[in-house]
Amino acid sequence: MKPRKVTKAVFPVAGLGTRFLPATKSIPKEIMTLVDRPLIQYAIDEARAAGIKEFIFVTSRGKSALEDYFDHAPELESALRKSGKDDLLETLKDTNMDSGAIAYVRQNRPMGLGHAVWCARRLIGNEPFAVLLPDDVIAAEKACLQQMIEAYEHTGGCMVAAMEVPPEKASSYGVLDIAEDMGSIVRLKGMVEKPKPKDAPSNLAVIGRYILTPAVLSNLNRMKQGAGGEIQLTDAIADETGSSPGVFGFRFRGQRYDCGSKIGFLQATVAFGLARPDLNEEFGAYLHEMMAMQKAAQ
Ligand code: UTP
């Protein structure tokens, strides 16, 4: 039997974003821009491309800029219309959500990603759902979540996006313990959150895209504290590895940028800037010039 269609996605955006202080003192991390679009827009576009119809945000204090971003802006729209700036009006369309398609729940305290997802349990109900972390931006020909949904239709069960990382980086990720490697899909026997390099069970790490079953929400009800004293989503998913149909990792096709870190954000800015036809030539020339100057100064 084909698993039930995934039409709901959760966007946990309640974290403190401390790696981007002082900026994140007053700006939500997800509103920071790659070229001219905030991180959250990339995640929403990916979810839309994968057929998601309901968007659930788990927010916290100080994130109201996010809610405003997805609202209509009548004064701005009428000013653009009056001055004939139809191209700009068109770009605003992507930021609008149909009435009722977007919902917000609050996480009162940042108790971890697992806790943030649990906060959305009543809106998710008893059906499979996607989770997208907006600070992971993925450039791909076919949206990463779409690739995962297609794979999930064959496997059922929980699925996490997986990426190869060098051993010394494993302690920053949840790492997959592989039972069976089937190519782009791997069946898991466990997952370890932030292991020491010598304890990492593989070189495949979880990144911020998930398809989860309601069983994970039941596991989160136990509020078990994991690595760093936080309620870890990885632990609640790993609890499902013993049940049928199990838990799967998916080697997606695409380039992931960790925009929650400064270096990842800068790399993404360069990559997305160069990918833009209207910026490529001038920006590319500038980067060449900078590199040449840096070399000459060495
Ligand atoms: P991070 O681990 O990147 O934490 O969270 P953070 O608070 O956003 O950033 P730093 O590490 O302090 O710089 C990964 C994702 O989980 C969400 C975050 O908003 C981010 O999308 N999250 C994390 C929550 O929603 N609630 C939490 O309690 C923790």
Side-chain angles (χ1 to χ4, degrees):
M1 199 176 67
K2 248 190 161 187
R4 197 167 155 178
K5 224 172 153 42
V6 181
T7 59
K8 292 184 180 176
V10 178
F11 301 83
V13 292
L16 295 174
T18 54
R19 283 171 288 171
F20 276 97
L21 281 170
T24 43
K25 184 180 170 204
S26 63
I27 305 167
K29 177 170 66 172
E30 302 75 19
I31 286 292
M32 295 194 318
T33 52
L34 278 183
V35 190
D36 51 10
R37 294 149 71 80
L39 296 183
I40 192 67
Q41 183 73 59
Y42 292 91
I44 291 288
D45 289 350
E46 183 182 329
R48 277 183 174 142
I52 296 296
K53 302 282 181 251
E54 290 182 56
F55 304 80
I56 303 165
F57 283 77
V58 183
T59 68
S60 58
R61 248 182 100 249
K63 301 273 179 168
S64 48
L66 267 169
E67 298 190 26
D68 291 342
Y69 179 77
F70 288 112
D71 220 339
H72 282 267
E75 299 87 359
L76 176 61
E77 285 164 24
S78 102
L80 293 174
R81 203 165 295 118
K82 267 191 205 143
S83 51
K85 296 191 168 144
D86 295 342
D87 49 336
L88 293 179
L89 264 174
E90 199 55 38
T91 57
L92 282 188
K93 270 195 187 150
D94 288 346
T95 69
N96 296 147
M97 290 285 193
D98 293 341
S99 290
I102 191 161
Y104 299 93
V105 282
R106 286 251 178 170
Q107 185 189 28
N108 292 340
R109 276 185 299 145
M111 291 168 66
L113 178 58
H115 182 259
V117 171
W118 177 82
C119 289
R121 66 200 178 283
R122 291 199 181 89
L123 292 169
I124 298 165
N126 191 29
E127 55 184 285
F129 59 101
V131 176
L132 293 93
L133 306 189
D135 41 13
D136 272 341
V137 176
I138 302 171
E141 243 170 64
K142 183 186 271 187
C144 176
L145 188 64
Q146 174 66 32
Q147 296 176 34
M148 290 176 72
I149 286 179
E150 286 170 12
Y152 163 81
E153 281 166 1
H154 293 288
T155 58
C158 294
M159 180 167 278
V160 299
M163 185 184 89
E164 282 179 15
V165 295
E168 68 277 10
K169 292 268 169 76
S171 59
S172 308
Y173 294 91
V175 178
L176 308 190
D177 194 353
I178 299 169
E180 188 186 357
D181 195 331
M182 298 171 276
S184 58
I185 298 173
V186 295
R187 182 187 290 278
L188 306 187
K189 58 179 172 204
M191 279 194 283
V192 188
E193 186 60 36
K194 301 188 169 60
K196 294 196 179 95
K198 67 172 178 41
D199 300 329
S202 76
N203 65 348
L204 273 186
V206 181
I207 61 124
R209 299 290 183 274
Y210 309 80
I211 296 173
L212 303 178
T213 62
V216 173
L217 298 174
S218 312
N219 299 343
L220 286 169
N221 276 333
R222 294 200 284 272
M223 290 291 148
K224 205 169 70 186
Q225 288 189 352
E230 293 193 336
I231 299 175
Q232 298 287 357
L233 184 60
T234 316
D235 295 341
I237 302 170
D239 285 349
E240 286 307 297
T241 49
S243 325
S244 173
V247 179
F248 301 86
F250 179 73
R251 291 186 174 100
F252 62 96
R253 295 173 301 282
Q255 176 67 43
R256 171 256 191 182
Y257 297 94
D258 175 12
C259 292
S261 75
K262 291 186 192 73
I263 190 71
F265 191 86
L266 289 170
Q267 287 165 349
T269 301
V270 172
F272 281 76
L274 288 176
R276 282 273 295 259
D278 55 333
L279 299 172
N280 170 281
E281 200 176 316
E282 199 175 339
F283 188 43
Y286 173 73
L287 290 178
H288 273 298
E289 211 178 291
M290 287 292 286
M291 294 305 294
M293 273 165 59
Q294 209 181 27
K295 237 186 189 163
Q298 274 167 6

